Amino acid sequence: MMTRALPLRVDYVPGESATSFASRLARRNGVPRLVPFCSDIGIDYGQLTNGAPTEIQRLAALGGTDPAAMQFWTPRLVGDGWFELGHATLKFTCFRRTHARTCPVCMSAARQRPEDVPAVHHGLWQLESIRTCHIHGSLLVPLAQAGTGKDVFDIVPHLRTYAPTPAVHVADKDRHLENWLADQIATGQETRRDWFHGLPIHVAVQTAENLGALMTLGADAKRTDISEQDWVRAGNTGYMVLRDGLEAMHTTLREIQSLTPIDARLHRHRFRLFYNWLRDRDDDPAFDVVRDSVRDYIWSNFPVAEGSIILGQPAPEQRVHTPATAAAMSGVSRWKIEQHLIRRGLASARDNGQGVHLNAYPTSETISEITTQIHGMISATQAGDILGVTLATLRLLRAQGLVSHAAACPKNGSYFEESEISDFLRKLRTLTKPEQQAPEDAVLFREAALQCQTSLAEVVACVLDNRLPLFATAPADARFGDLLVSIRAIRQTTTIPAEDALSLGEASLRLKTNTRTIRALLQRGHIVHVQPFSDAKHRRWQVVCARSVEEFRTTHISLTELAAGRNRDAANLSKDLYSYGIRPLRLGDKCQRFFRRREVI
C-alpha cells in the first residue's frame, strides 16, 4: 500500500541523518517526542536509529523527500558491531551514539530562521573522530540530555534546550585527519593504497589520534583528560606521520625515544599513552597490523628480556642489550664490554668513571663480535712467549707499530690480539730460509740494530718492507729471537753516504724526540729523506737528510726542550702558549709537539 505524505512537512537538509529529519518532522506535526511519533506513523524507532532501509523509505515517503540521500548519511547497521555510513564501512567504536553534539555557528544561524525551522543534526556528527563542523570549521559542543536514554536521537528537544556557546574555530591545516575521514565517507575514493590507507578506518583513525597524542601531549598524558581541541590537534599530527607509511611511524617512535638518555627509561615510560591504548585494543584483531609493528620495534630497540610479554606476545629472544645483560649473556666482565662499546662509538664514559652512557643499545650480533674479540686477547707475557721475545722487545715492536694493543686494552694494561701476534710471526717465517744458506754477516736482529746504528724495530721494519731474507735452524718453527739477517742486505737498501744521512733513530736523538715524531716530520715535509729505497715508495724505513734535521733544529724547538730551558712543567707551559694563540706544528696524535722558535723565544 502506498504511503501518503503528511500534510505538514519539512525540507531535507543535505547531510542530515534520518533521525534528525524525523525529529523535525514530528515537531512540525505537533508531536513533542520522536518515539511516540514513530509509533503513531508505524515506524520502528529502534530500526530507524540503526538506519534500516525499509524504515527510512517509509519516513521519506511521509516527509515527501528522497530516501537515497537520507540513507546515505544515516549510519546503517550491517552486521555485528559494523555500520555503513556513506561509502564507508565502520566499526561501532567509530561512533558516539550516547550523546549528541552540534555546531555553535549552525545553531546561531538556525535561531535566525522561523521557529518551525530548527537546526539539523548531520550524520557525520555521530562519528567520534569528527569533532569539528565540516561547514564552519568550529568545534562541536555537547548538547544537554533531554528526556530519557531513548531520546538521544530525538535531536529537536536537545537543540531547543541548547545554551549559546562561543564558537572555537579550528584551522583547515589542523583538520587533515577529519577531512580524510569525511572524504572516505563522501566519495569512498582513495588515490593512495599504501600501508596507512589500507588499514580499516577505525584502526587508521584511532592510531593517528593516539600516536599524535603521544607526540603533542607526552607519554604521561591521560586520555580521559584530553580536550576535544587537543584530540583534533593530535589526530592531525598523527595523520601527517602515518600517511607516509610504517617507516615514518618507526622514525617518530625513534625520535621520541631519543628525547631522554637511552638507558634512562624503557618503552613503557617513553610511549606510555600510546602503548597502553594499543595494549587495551587486544580484543580487536584488526589492530594486529599496528600492534605487531610496534611490538617488533620495541623488541629491536629496547633491552627486552627473552620471554617478557610485550603487547600480548612473549619476546622470542633478546635483540639488544645493556652492558649488564650483555655481561650475563656472554660471561665476559661488564667492564670489558663497556670498553669495547666505547671504542665502537656505542657508549661514552661517565664523568665519575663509573659505568658508561649508552649512545645506542648494542645488538646481540655486536655483543657476539665483542665476546669473540675479547676471548682472542692475550697478555703481553703470552704474546712474548709466542714470539720468543722479552717484554722490552715487545714494547719496542709495539711502539714502532709492528704490533698493536688489542681494542679496549685496559688502562695501564698490555693486551694483544692473538691473531695479530701470530700473523706477525707468520710474516717473518715466510721470509726465513735454512741457516745453512745464511751469509757470513748474518746476525740476530738486536746485533743488526747495533751495527746499523738504528733501533731493533727499524731493522724489523726494513726486513718486512724490503722482504729481506731471514735465516734460522728450523724455519717453520722459528721464533723472533731465532732469526738472523744479513747486515749487507740491510745496508744495500740505501746507497747514501753515511755523513749525509741519518737513520730515524739518529734523527730522533738529534731532535730529542721519538721515531714516531720523526716519521710525522718526514710525512709533512718539515725534514726530508735523501733518497727512497729503489724498489718501493712510502716504506717505513727512510734515510733522513742530516742537513734538513740541522735546519729544522735551528728553526724549531720541542715542547720538552722549551720547558726544560724555562724550568717549567710542559703541560702548564703548553696551556700558556695556547692562551697566547701559539700553536705547535700539526703532526698528529701521540707525536711530540714542536713550536717555531721565532714564536716562543
Side-chain angles (χ1 to χ4, degrees):
M1 187 176 88
M2 182 178 295
T3 302
R4 295 180 58 186
L6 295 174
L8 300 178
R9 286 170 287 183
V10 294
D11 293 331
Y12 175 76
V13 177
E16 183 179 14
S17 66
T19 50
S20 171
F21 179 79
S23 182
R24 293 195 299 121
L25 187 62
R27 181 55 61 96
R28 182 73 177 88
N29 284 274
V31 183
R33 290 184 63 222
L34 178 57
V35 174
F37 175 74
C38 288
S39 178
D40 291 344
I41 61 176
I43 291 179
D44 187 319
Y45 175 75
Q47 290 292 314
L48 182 65
T49 61
N50 286 331
T54 55
E55 308 305 320
I56 289 180
Q57 289 173 4
R58 181 171 177 77
L59 175 64
L62 290 169
T65 189
D66 179 17
M70 194 184 304
Q71 181 74 69
F72 188 88
W73 292 109
T74 301
R76 179 169 70 92
L77 184 65
V78 294
D80 187 14
W82 291 89
F83 288 83
E84 276 187 358
L85 179 59
H87 291 286
T89 301
L90 306 165
K91 194 170 184 180
F92 73 96
T93 53
C94 290
F95 293 90
R96 183 186 298 187
R97 289 167 63 85
T98 57
H99 294 85
R101 296 170 297 165
T102 191
C103 167
V105 180
C106 291
M107 287 298 297
S108 177
R111 293 195 171 191
Q112 305 301 318
R113 296 195 292 265
E115 181 68 18
D116 60 345
V117 187
V120 302
H121 192 264
H122 293 271
L124 277 178
W125 293 354
Q126 291 189 34
L127 291 172
E128 177 76 27
S129 297
I130 295 294
R131 295 183 171 89
T132 63
C133 175
H134 56 288
I135 300 173
H136 303 108
S138 56
L139 277 178
L140 301 179
V141 296
L143 293 170
Q145 185 71 33
T148 67
K150 274 191 170 184
D151 296 316
V152 64
F153 295 104
D154 191 0
I155 197 65
V156 172
H158 299 330
L159 296 175
R160 292 189 180 279
T161 59
Y162 167 78
T165 301
V168 178
H169 182 75
V170 178
D172 287 341
K173 65 181 181 62
D174 295 327
R175 299 169 56 217
H176 289 295
L177 177 64
E178 290 194 12
N179 291 338
W180 173 80
L181 177 56
D183 186 62
Q184 297 302 296
I185 294 168
T187 67
Q189 297 179 357
E190 182 57 73
T191 57
R192 299 174 59 181
R193 299 306 304 174
D194 51 26
W195 177 80
F196 174 74
H197 298 85
L199 295 174
I201 289 179
H202 71 288
V203 174
V205 170
Q206 292 182 41
T207 303
E209 289 179 338
N210 285 275
L211 177 64
L214 174 66
M215 296 170 63
T216 58
L217 303 175
D220 296 328
K222 294 183 178 179
R223 298 180 70 251
T224 55
D225 296 338
I226 299 177
S227 68
E228 292 292 282
Q229 191 168 5
D230 283 339
W231 274 123
V232 173
R233 186 163 61 98
N236 184 72
T237 302
Y239 172 77
M240 299 300 285
V241 171
L242 294 178
R243 69 177 182 176
D244 292 330
L246 184 60
E247 186 56 39
M249 182 178 75
H250 288 171
T251 300
T252 298
L253 294 178
R254 196 171 294 113
E255 290 172 353
I256 295 172
Q257 182 179 355
S258 68
L259 295 178
T260 53
I262 196 166
D263 49 349
R265 305 175 79 192
L266 294 182
H267 61 278
R268 289 181 183 273
H269 297 92
R270 296 174 191 263
F271 308 144
R272 187 192 307 277
L273 183 150
F274 185 63
Y275 180 88
N276 289 346
W277 162 79
L278 197 53
R279 181 192 59 196
D280 294 342
R281 307 270 99 58
D282 59 356
D283 58 342
D284 188 348
F287 284 92
D288 284 348
V289 62
V290 179
R291 194 161 31 241
D292 293 346
S293 175
V294 172
R295 184 191 302 114
D296 189 72
Y297 174 86
I298 292 173
W299 284 345
S300 299
N301 291 274
F302 290 91
V304 178
E306 180 179 348
S308 297
I309 303 299
I310 301 296
L311 296 175
Q313 295 290 333
E317 60 183 353
Q318 184 165 348
R319 298 181 183 177
V320 296
H321 296 267
T322 64
T325 62
M329 178 192 77
S330 63
V332 175
S333 75
R334 176 172 174 172
W335 185 89
K336 287 183 178 179
I337 287 178
E338 288 176 344
Q339 297 307 303
H340 278 263
L341 293 178
I342 291 173
R343 187 176 182 88
R344 289 169 177 253
L346 296 176
S348 57
R350 295 182 185 271
D351 294 337
N352 60 8
Q354 301 296 318
V356 296
H357 290 292
L358 289 177
N359 301 325
Y361 288 117
T363 64
S364 295
E365 291 76 13
T366 298
I367 298 302
S368 295
E369 292 175 4
I370 290 174
T371 301
T372 301
Q373 191 173 10
I374 291 175
H375 287 160
M377 289 172 57
I378 57 175
S379 67
T381 301
Q382 292 171 311
D385 290 341
I386 292 174
L387 293 177
V389 299
T390 64
L391 294 181
T393 300
L394 184 62
R395 280 194 292 270
L396 291 175
L397 296 175
R398 186 185 65 80
Q400 187 67 26
L402 297 173
V403 295
S404 58
H405 272 155
C409 184
K411 186 178 181 181
N412 299 325
S414 187
Y415 286 84
F416 298 84
E417 297 283 355
E418 183 175 7
S419 59
E420 182 183 358
I421 297 297
S422 299
D423 287 344
F424 173 68
L425 186 56
R426 190 177 300 111
K427 290 178 182 177
L428 294 175
R429 286 174 175 171
T430 58
L431 300 174
T432 304
K433 300 178 179 180
E435 189 174 1
Q436 292 82 353
Q437 303 178 22
E440 294 181 359
D441 64 343
V443 295
L444 297 175
F445 277 131
R446 184 169 295 279
E447 179 62 27
L450 291 174
Q451 293 191 35
C452 293
Q453 297 184 350
T454 187
S455 69
L456 180 145
E458 289 287 356
V459 171
V460 178
C462 176
V463 168
L464 292 175
D465 287 344
N466 294 279
R467 298 191 61 80
L468 301 180
L470 299 174
F471 306 93
T473 303
D477 300 320
R479 297 194 297 173
F480 186 89
D482 304 328
L483 301 174
L484 305 175
V485 62
S486 169
I487 298 296
R488 179 179 298 176
I490 294 175
R491 287 177 174 169
Q492 285 178 346
T493 57
T494 178
T495 59
I496 300 172
E499 63 272 12
D500 296 336
L502 299 172
S503 68
L504 294 185
E506 291 172 325
S508 64
L509 288 175
R510 293 197 183 188
L511 294 180
K512 299 179 181 179
T513 185
N514 52 45
T515 55
R516 180 191 294 271
T517 304
I518 294 297
R519 291 187 187 281
L521 291 172
L522 283 169
Q523 183 179 2
R524 288 162 177 77
H526 297 294
I527 58 177
V528 297
H529 58 270
V530 178
Q531 177 183 335
F533 294 112
S534 59
D535 60 341
K537 292 183 178 181
H538 308 300
R539 297 291 192 177
R540 284 195 182 94
W541 179 277
Q542 297 188 35
V543 181
V544 183
C545 175
R547 187 178 298 105
S548 70
V549 171
E550 291 303 319
E551 291 175 355
F552 181 80
R553 188 167 61 173
T554 60
T555 57
H556 295 78
I557 186 170
S558 70
L559 176 62
T560 303
E561 186 179 354
L562 182 62
R566 298 186 180 184
N567 198 24
R568 292 282 305 278
D569 176 72
N572 291 332
L573 178 58
S574 178
K575 291 180 180 178
D576 290 345
L577 293 175
Y578 269 78
S579 67
Y580 288 112
I582 300 174
R583 300 290 186 268
L585 300 180
R586 294 180 178 273
L587 299 179
D589 296 340
K590 298 182 180 179
C591 290
Q592 194 171 3
R593 282 171 282 185
F594 276 85
F595 292 87
R596 297 174 181 85
R597 287 181 180 271
R598 69 173 183 272
E599 295 180 351
V600 297
I601 296 178

